[in-house]
Amino acid sequence: MPDFRLFTLRGLLAAFCLLLWSLSLQAETIPAESAASGFYPLPEPDEHVVGRPRTTVASVEDTLVLIGRRFRTGYGAIRAANPLVDSWMPREGTEVLLPTWHILPEAPREGIVINTAEMRLYHFEGARGERPARVGVYAISIGRDGRETPLSAARVTRKAENPTWYPTESIRRERAERGEPVPAVVPPGPANPLGTRALYLNLPAYLIHGTNRELGIGMPVTAGCVRMYPEDIEYLYDRVPVGSKVEIVHQPVKAGWSGDVLYVESHDPLEGLELTPEDRLQQLRAAIARTVSDRADFTVDWDRVREAVLESTGVPVPVGPIWLVDEALGQVDDTATPAG
C-alpha cells in the first residue's frame, strides 16, 4: 500500500500542472453570455469519454457559484475543476475550466443513470430521425449527510407538472427545529421546493425534481431527493416516459477509453463516507483492470493515477499507455465536440 504522505508536495505541484494543462488544451472558450450544451454523441460501447474541455473568462462580478449556474455545471464540480481559483473572487479575466468532459459511469447505457459521487445525472436518448443517439449530462443536488440519496435500481412510476409537496413528518420536525416550519401541504408556486416538474420513483418519498434554490445545485443539500435546474428537469420531463429505468450508483472513481488512450477520473468522497485516498486508489486499480481487460502489454502511469486520486478534480486524466500520455496531454480529439 503506498504512503500517500510522500505525495503531498508532489500532489500540490500536480494540481498546478493539471490546471495549466487543462487550460492549455485546445479548449473551446465560451462567452459569458452563452449557455453550455450538456448533450454529447453517444460513443461506441468500447469508448467511454464524452465532451471536451471548455473554458470561460470570469467577469468582475463573477463567483464560481454564478459561473456554475450560468453553464449549468453545478458548484461542486466547477470548484473541484479549478482548485487554484478563488471561489468568491476569481478576479476579472481569470480563465475558468468548465467541467464538460466526463467518463461515463459503469452502468447500462439506458434510461437515467445517477452517480451520486460526482453529483451528475446521465440521460441516454436513443436516435431520433437524423439525430444520432446521445447522452445528456446534468448537474444535480443529492441528499446531505444523514439523508443520503439511496443507491438502487428504480423506475419512474409517475410524473407531475407543478407538483404539490407533501413533506414527511421527519422533514417537518427537522425544519421546525431549525426555526423554518413548513405546512403539511405546500401547493405549487415559488415557495415549493419541488419546482415546476417532478418524476416520482418506486422508492417511497424519493423524487427527481426541479428547485426554487438554483444556486444549491451541485451540492449535497437535499433530504434525499435529486434536484435539477428548472430548465433541465423541464427538458427531461418531456422525454422520460413512465416506466423508465433509473440506476443510482456511487462511483467516486472511473476509468475509460478515448481512442487508444486510457483516462481516469476521481471525485472527493461525500461527507460522512469513510473513503480514504488509499481506498479510492484500490477502487481505481480495479476499475482500470476491468477497463483494460484483455488488451495485452498495456502500460499504465501509476504515478499519474495516484496524483489523479489525490487531487480529485473530477477532470479526466490520461494515464496510459505511457508512450501516448504526453501526446494526450497536448491535444483534444475534436470529434468529442458537444452536439446541439
Side-chain angles (χ1 to χ4, degrees), residues 131-303:
R131 194 206 72 201
R134 66 184 185 181
V135 56
V137 184
Y138 304 95
I140 59 173
S141 286
I142 60 169
R144 58 188 177 274
D145 185 23
R147 285 192 173 273
E148 292 83 2
T149 301
L151 307 181
S152 177
R155 287 186 180 272
V156 176
T157 56
R158 69 183 182 94
K159 309 193 298 184
E161 290 191 38
N162 300 313
T164 297
W165 182 39
Y166 300 91
T168 63
E169 286 301 317
S170 63
I171 289 176
R172 294 186 67 201
R173 284 196 304 270
E174 183 181 283
R175 292 287 190 92
E177 290 170 1
R178 298 203 316 247
E180 304 171 354
V182 294
V185 179
V186 180
N192 189 318
L194 302 186
T196 64
R197 303 286 190 279
L199 305 178
Y200 294 79
L201 309 179
N202 60 336
L203 301 173
Y206 294 101
L207 295 72
I208 302 172
H209 61 79
T211 183
N212 59 353
R213 297 182 178 181
E214 299 176 14
L215 296 184
I217 297 296
M219 305 180 197
V221 294
T222 80
C225 288
V226 173
R227 290 182 192 165
M228 302 181 69
Y229 286 123
E231 60 269 38
D232 290 342
I233 187 62
E234 289 176 8
Y235 178 89
L236 203 66
Y237 182 93
D238 291 337
R239 289 160 180 81
V240 175
V242 170
S244 295
K245 291 183 178 180
V246 178
E247 187 82 15
I248 307 174
V249 300
H250 180 77
Q251 296 177 9
V253 294
K254 299 181 290 182
W257 293 106
S258 179
D260 293 324
V261 180
L262 178 69
Y263 286 82
V264 298
E265 182 180 315
S266 178
H267 298 264
D268 275 329
L270 300 173
E271 184 179 353
L273 292 181
E274 299 295 331
L275 196 62
T276 67
E278 294 176 355
D279 294 332
R280 280 180 285 150
L281 178 61
Q282 293 309 312
Q283 289 183 4
L284 190 49
R285 283 182 177 274
I288 289 171
R290 290 192 298 272
T291 304
V292 172
S293 187
D294 57 357
R295 297 203 186 192
D297 301 322
F298 188 81
T299 56
V300 175
D301 186 336
W302 291 108
D303 285 342

Side-chain angles (χ1 to χ4, degrees), residues 2 5 16 20 25 37 40 48 68 134 194 208 230 251 297 319:
R5 292 173 297 179
F16 180 68
L20 291 180
L25 293 172
S37 168
Y40 309 97
H48 311 94
R134 66 184 185 181
L194 302 186
I208 302 172
Q251 296 177 9
D297 301 322
V319 296

